[in-house]
Structure formats: C-alpha cells, structure tokens
Amino acid sequence: TTVDLRLLVPALAAWSTDVVLLWTGAPPWVPVAMATLAMIVGGGAGYAVHHSPRLDRGPRRRNVVVGAALSCAAVALVTTCLAGQEAVRSVGYLDELVAAHATVTLEASVESDPRPVAAKPGRRVDERVVTTRLRVTEATGRGLATVVSAPVLAIGDDSWLAVAYGERIRVTGRLVAAEPGDDVVALLRVNRTPEVLEEAPLVVRAAAYLRGQFQRATAGLPADPAGLVPALVIGDTSATPEDLTAAMKATGMSHLSAVSGSNISLILAAGLGLCRWLGIGRRWRPVAALIMLAGFVVITRPEPSVIRAAVMGVVGLVGLSVARQRMAMPALSAAVIILLSWDPWLARSYGFALSVLATLGLVLFASSWGEWITRRLPWWMAPLGPALAVPLAAQVMVAPVVVLLQGSVQLIAIPANLLAGPLVGPATIGGVVTALVAAVWMPLAQVCAWAPALPAW
C-alpha cells in the first residue's frame, strides 16, 4: 500500500518549531512574529501555486511549493495557538506574585488526580510529597486580588490524597517560578490542607464511582494482577506493587501501566466488532465508536495524556485496517497538528513523542509485518501474527526516544513485549467488561475479574 506523506512534513515543521519556542523560553512576541512570518510566506506560496505558470510545467516543483505552503500553514496555526494560550495564562497579576515568591491564597479546580512522588534516595521516607495540577481562577496575595486562568502544580503532603479530581478548592501556599517552557506557570508549595468549595460535577462523580467499583472488583485478585488490570484499563497504578513496577521498568514494559493509544485501539476494535455482531449498520458504527471513546475518556480522566492517547488510538485503529491504511499517515499527521494546537506544551513531552512514534510504527509496519509473521507460523498459531507484530512495530519505533530517556537500549524489551503482546488484548477487553459489570452487580464483577487477571498475571 502506498503511504501518503504529504502532511508529514507540515506536522514535523509545526512540531519542531513548537519545541524550539518552548525549550528556549521565547518571549511572547516571538510566537506572534513566527505566526505572522509563516502566514506571509505560506500565503505567497499558495498564491504561486494558483497563479504561476512555471509551476504547471514541473509537477515536482509544484509539489515542493504546495508542501511549503502547507508547512507554513501548520506552523502558523500552532504558533498562533501557543501565543493565544500564553496570552490567556498571563492575564491578571499572577506573574507578579510568582516573581515575588509570594504566599497566596488560590481558588482553583483540580485538573488531575493527586499523585504521590517517591522520596529521593537519601531522604527520609516520611518526606514523600503529593503533586496535583490545578487550574487557578482567583489569586489573592500581597494586597492583590486578581482573576486568572492559569495552570499551577501544587506540591503538598499526604493530606492531598483526599482531594478529588474535578473539585473546586481554596488553598494557601508559596509560589515558585516554573522552568521556562513548562506546561504550568508556577509551582505552589502548600502549607495547609486545602478547603473544598464545590464538589466535582455529576459526570465526574459518576466516573469516580465506576473507577471505585472497578477497583473493588479487582481488589480480591492476587497482588500483581490486582495492580496491573486497573493500570491496563484505566491507567490507575495505585494498587501496583513496587516490585512489579520495578520489574516492568527493567524489561521496558512500563508503558502498559499508562492509558495508551494501543489500548484504546483495542477497545474501539472490540466495540466495533460488537456493533457488527449486534447488526448495527455501518453508518452508525462511527457514532457508536465516538460514544465509546467519549465514555472511556471521561472514566480515565480527560487529562492531556488521555486525550493524546484517545486521538492516537483512533489513528492506530485506522492504521491496522488494510482497507483504510492509505488514510492512516495523513490522519496521524493531522492528529499531531491538532493536538499541538490544542495543547502546544505536548511538543516537549516524551509521552507525546512515544505515542506518536508507536502509532507511526503501527501505521507503517504492523499490517505488513503481521502478514509476514503469519505466513511463517504454524497454522494453529497463525492468528497470533498481528498480535505479535503490533508490539514489535511499536518497540522498534520508540527505541530512539527510550535511549534518550534511559541512556541505553533494553534488548530484553523486544522479546518481553512480544511475549506479552498477545495477552494485552484479552486483559484489556476483559477489564472493560469487568468495569461495566461492576457498575451493576459486584458479585458477578468479582468473578468476571478473573478473565483479565489470568492474562495479566
């Protein structure tokens, strides 16, 4: 199948420009200037495509100019969004309070589940901290009261574990400036327990109820599957034993403990298969897939990493379909541009790079490698061909980024992921079924939990 690369260069141009602007901590006027320049150059290239007779004589020259116009358009879009979001984040007097390292009282909504951070080597165990991302709406300090809309990372103690995603809280602490280019404007070192002003919305509380029921359903399993099944399905690693976490890192399998595009691809594929089995027409299957995707995002929390995984999951599902494979590369390129426009700070996230590269592996290699492996397996193992190809293709593509993160290539990661690959699907789908049953009848859910527990174990 011919791979359509026309949107790949614009996506890479937008991504690299965003990375440079964020890592250099460029002042606000730089993205505006970049966007203006890109629009002027892109407009000129677009005009030349339609009005220059020279381009009609050479298709290759015309393709180069079209590619330049598209690249300029992508860069202009992403840098405009970056400049706009920077402008929103800088409204009010929060920057002045951060510069003064002021002690402030903030009203904010909780944008992430509280996450414990292990104590650094050499520190006391009781020095563990808990981090939570907040969206600040009001700030008071040093005689200033200001209305803002800015992300802040709160750093507190174990009392923050009682804070629920989606709640509106009031908290007091000292502001510390974040690094240039960070996705938050400041760090807040909290010196007291937060005060809850408003409960989370009903939809968020319903999602929390489903998560809690799922955790109850899997709590009776042996320790390792009890920790891994919720991690596979909803990215909840709270019950994962420390030795299992260490073992997964040592074998290059820690990606299984996060909500990933491949997991979402599996869930969507299973859901579409169920639609086909129920006789739902082709016209309504995309609607059903969108409903399933929206429900999954709500349950797992609509954080940037989950939104990224959801988008990449849809692209990965397209890439695994032979009939739609030609659409996969343009879809991946468009997804990169859209995600960077929605959240420009994803550009410097290793998770984003890993997700894009893993999806690229599915798009380029999974189908052909699956066919090649299938032809060389005994007939009774032939169905395992695609299941083996998916983790292999993903591992090959993410290896360069893993080297940057860990400083070495873990050769054991490839056979480990190949062996685990065929078991990830049954564990994930079984976990989703268990979660749905847990919302209705807990005794049956506790029995169903053994279905994903065995392949997870």
Side-chain angles (χ1 to χ4, degrees):
T1 304
T2 304
V3 178
D4 188 344
L5 300 176
R6 286 174 295 181
L7 268 182
L8 180 60
V9 173
L12 293 176
W15 191 354
S16 57
T17 302
D18 204 1
V19 167
V20 171
L21 291 174
L22 291 174
W23 264 337
T24 57
W29 64 267
V30 176
V32 176
M34 288 285 295
T36 304
L37 179 61
M39 283 188 281
I40 293 172
V41 175
Y47 180 85
V49 168
H50 292 286
H51 295 89
S52 176
R54 291 183 180 180
L55 297 181
D56 295 332
R57 301 176 199 148
R60 182 175 297 178
R61 186 181 300 175
R62 182 184 182 86
N63 290 339
V64 169
V65 176
V66 169
L70 289 173
S71 298
C72 288
V75 169
L77 176 62
V78 171
T79 50
T80 298
C81 291
L82 173 61
Q85 294 196 42
E86 286 278 20
V88 171
R89 286 162 40 131
S90 62
V91 168
Y93 301 108
L94 188 62
D95 288 345
E96 286 83 347
L97 294 172
V98 172
H101 291 242
T103 297
V104 295
T105 298
L106 305 179
E107 292 189 12
S109 56
V110 180
E111 285 196 326
S112 72
D113 286 314
R115 293 185 175 91
V117 179
K120 294 182 180 180
R123 299 285 186 88
R124 299 197 312 270
V125 176
D126 59 359
E127 288 184 353
R128 184 180 74 162
V129 299
V130 176
T131 62
T132 312
R133 184 183 170 97
L134 306 177
R135 172 65 61 172
V136 179
T137 54
E138 295 181 30
T140 304
R142 299 262 174 127
L144 297 173
T146 182
V147 176
V148 298
S149 177
V152 168
L153 186 69
I155 302 174
D157 56 21
D158 283 351
S159 65
W160 275 79
L161 294 175
V163 173
Y165 174 86
E167 287 181 337
R168 189 163 168 269
I169 63 172
R170 181 184 291 122
V171 60
T172 300
R174 186 170 64 87
L175 289 171
V176 179
E179 293 293 327
D182 271 4
D183 60 349
V184 294
V185 299
L187 310 179
L188 180 73
R189 299 197 178 278
V190 180
N191 53 23
R192 65 182 66 176
T193 304
E195 174 190 355
V196 177
L197 301 177
E198 188 178 326
E199 282 189 321
L202 180 60
V203 173
V204 176
R205 281 182 280 145
Y209 171 77
L210 289 176
R211 289 170 66 94
Q213 291 294 94
F214 183 37
Q215 291 163 347
R216 284 182 55 202
T218 57
L221 300 173
D224 282 353
L228 186 55
V229 171
L232 276 171
V233 179
I234 59 174
D236 179 10
T237 58
S238 59
T240 306
E242 291 184 6
D243 60 339
L244 176 59
T245 300
M248 292 176 71
K249 287 182 179 178
T251 53
M253 298 174 70
S254 56
H255 62 91
L256 296 176
S257 298
V259 178
S260 67
S262 58
N263 280 17
I264 292 177
S265 295
L266 287 168
I267 293 169
L268 288 178
L272 291 174
L274 179 62
C275 291
R276 192 179 301 113
W277 183 73
L278 293 173
I280 297 175
R282 287 180 177 273
R283 180 183 301 177
W284 296 104
R285 288 176 198 170
V287 177
L290 287 175
I291 293 173
M292 286 186 288
L293 187 63
F296 185 79
V297 167
V298 169
I299 292 173
T300 54
R301 309 293 194 219
E303 299 177 15
S305 60
V306 176
I307 301 295
R308 178 200 73 215
V311 173
M312 292 302 162
V314 173
V315 175
L317 185 63
V318 172
L320 291 174
S321 170
V322 176
R324 295 187 295 270
Q325 204 168 30
R326 185 175 173 82
M327 300 165 49
M329 184 60 75
L332 175 59
S333 303
V336 169
I337 296 170
I338 292 169
L339 284 171
L340 292 178
S341 301
W342 169 69
D343 185 358
W345 288 270
L346 284 174
R348 54 174 292 179
S349 163
Y350 280 111
F352 180 69
L354 290 170
S355 187
V356 172
L357 289 173
T359 307
L360 184 62
L362 298 185
V363 169
L364 294 179
F365 306 126
S367 180
S368 58
W369 288 7
E371 293 175 0
W372 187 87
I373 294 172
T374 298
R375 288 195 299 268
R376 283 155 179 79
L377 290 175
W379 65 268
W380 52 275
M381 292 182 64
L384 292 178
L388 292 171
V390 168
L392 180 60
Q395 281 294 313
V396 168
M397 291 302 296
V398 303
V401 178
V402 172
V403 171
L404 290 175
L405 284 171
Q406 300 180 345
S408 63
V409 178
Q410 297 166 312
L411 296 180
I412 193 64
I414 293 178
N417 279 276
L418 283 175
L419 290 170
L423 302 174
V424 172
T428 302
I429 302 305
V432 172
V433 172
T434 301
L436 295 175
V437 174
V440 180
W441 190 19
M442 182 56 64
L444 179 59
Q446 290 170 334
V447 175
C448 292
W450 283 96
L454 293 176
W457 206 355

